[in-house]
Amino acid sequence: LVSQVKVALRIKEAEDALREERNSLERVVEKRTAALHRMNRLLDSIVENIPNMIFLKDARELRFVRFNRAGEDLLGYFRDDLLGKDDYDFFPKEQADFFTERDRKVLHGKEVVDIPEEPIQTRNKGERILHTKKVPILDASGEPEYLLGISEDITERKQAEEKIKASLLEKETMLKEIHHRVKNNLQV
C-alpha cells in the first residue's frame, strides 16, 4: 500500500511538472504570437502608407494577391476588385500583354527588373507613366512563388521635363535668331 501511494505521488508530481511546463510553453507561444501579430501590423502599416503602388502577384497565374492604398488610388479600383484577378481584367490587351511578358521574364530570370518608364491606362486618371521595379519572391527551394511590384507615378515629372526641354529649345532658337541678326548688323 505504501509503495502504491509513493507511485501515485510520483505520478501526481510528474503530472504537475508537465502541467507547469505546458503552461510555461503556452505563455511563451502567446508572447511570440503577440509579437508576430505586432510585427505583421507594422509591416501592413508600412505597405499601406508607402506612397508608391505596391502589388503582389502569385507566380503561377499572375493574379493579384496583395495591393496597397496607393495602388488603389492610382488605378482607380478598390483592392477587393483587384484581388484574385489579373492584368487582362483591368488593362487594354496590349498593355496586359506587356505587363505579363515582363512579369514572366522577371520570374524566369529570378532577378529584379527595373522598368524606367511604362505607360499604364488607369480608370480615373487616364494614361500615366510609371517607374516600376519587379522583384521575384522565391520559395525555400529557390523557385518563384510571388512577383512583387513597386511602381512610382512619374507622369508629372515627365511632363515637367518636357516643358523644360521645350523651353530650352525655344530659348536656343531665340538665341540663334539674335546671333544671326547681330551678325548681319555687324556686316552692314
Side-chain angles (χ1 to χ4, degrees):
L1 183 65
V2 172
S3 67
Q4 287 178 342
V5 170
K6 287 182 181 179
V7 168
L9 282 173
R10 284 189 200 140
I11 290 173
K12 180 163 178 8
E13 288 172 358
E15 287 174 347
D16 289 345
L18 283 173
R19 192 174 304 109
E20 182 56 38
E21 187 63 30
R22 186 186 77 216
N23 289 341
S24 175
L25 287 173
E26 285 177 355
R27 285 191 297 275
V28 168
V29 168
E30 283 176 17
K31 284 182 183 177
R32 289 185 180 174
T33 300
L36 185 60
H37 285 299
R38 279 192 307 277
M39 184 57 66
N40 281 337
R41 282 193 306 275
L42 173 62
L43 291 174
D44 284 344
S45 179
I46 290 169
V47 167
E48 284 304 309
N49 289 294
I50 288 178
N52 295 334
M53 176 170 68
I54 296 179
F55 59 89
L56 192 66
K57 296 178 180 180
D58 73 87
R60 286 192 186 95
E61 297 181 17
L62 296 177
R63 295 191 179 280
F64 294 107
V65 295
R66 180 82 192 246
F67 233 91
N68 73 342
R69 193 175 313 139
E72 287 179 308
D73 182 54
L74 176 66
L75 297 183
Y77 294 97
F78 293 111
R79 80 187 68 204
D80 290 341
D81 297 329
L82 294 160
L83 299 180
K85 298 192 177 141
D86 64 23
D87 291 323
Y88 292 95
D89 293 313
F90 303 100
F91 305 111
K93 183 182 180 328
E94 186 176 292
Q95 279 187 350
D97 286 343
F98 175 79
F99 297 148
T100 300
E101 177 188 331
R102 286 289 177 111
D103 293 349
R104 292 285 176 215
K105 194 177 206 177
V106 170
L107 293 169
H108 179 73
K110 299 179 184 178
E111 291 185 357
V112 176
V113 171
D114 188 337
I115 306 164
E117 291 182 25
E118 64 179 348
I120 188 169
Q121 191 62 42
T122 67
R123 186 179 194 183
N124 301 324
K125 297 181 178 185
E127 184 172 280
R128 306 300 288 177
I129 300 170
L130 304 182
H131 174 201
T132 300
K133 291 187 180 185
K134 293 188 176 184
V135 182
I137 305 296
L138 308 179
D139 64 16
S141 65
E143 292 304 311
E145 187 171 10
Y146 296 101
L147 176 88
L148 171 65
I150 304 165
S151 298
E152 177 184 9
D153 185 350
I154 60 169
T155 306
E156 282 82 17
R157 181 184 335 152
K158 294 300 294 176
Q159 291 169 343
E161 287 173 3
E162 291 303 317
K163 284 181 182 177
I164 290 170
K165 284 180 187 177
S167 176
L168 287 173
L169 184 60
E170 182 182 315
K171 286 175 178 52
E172 185 179 327
T173 303
M174 193 181 335
L175 283 173
K176 284 180 182 179
E177 180 64 27
I178 291 171
H179 174 73
H180 178 72
R181 288 181 184 191
V182 168
K183 185 178 173 185
N184 285 344
N185 286 339
L186 289 176
Q187 288 179 349
V188 175

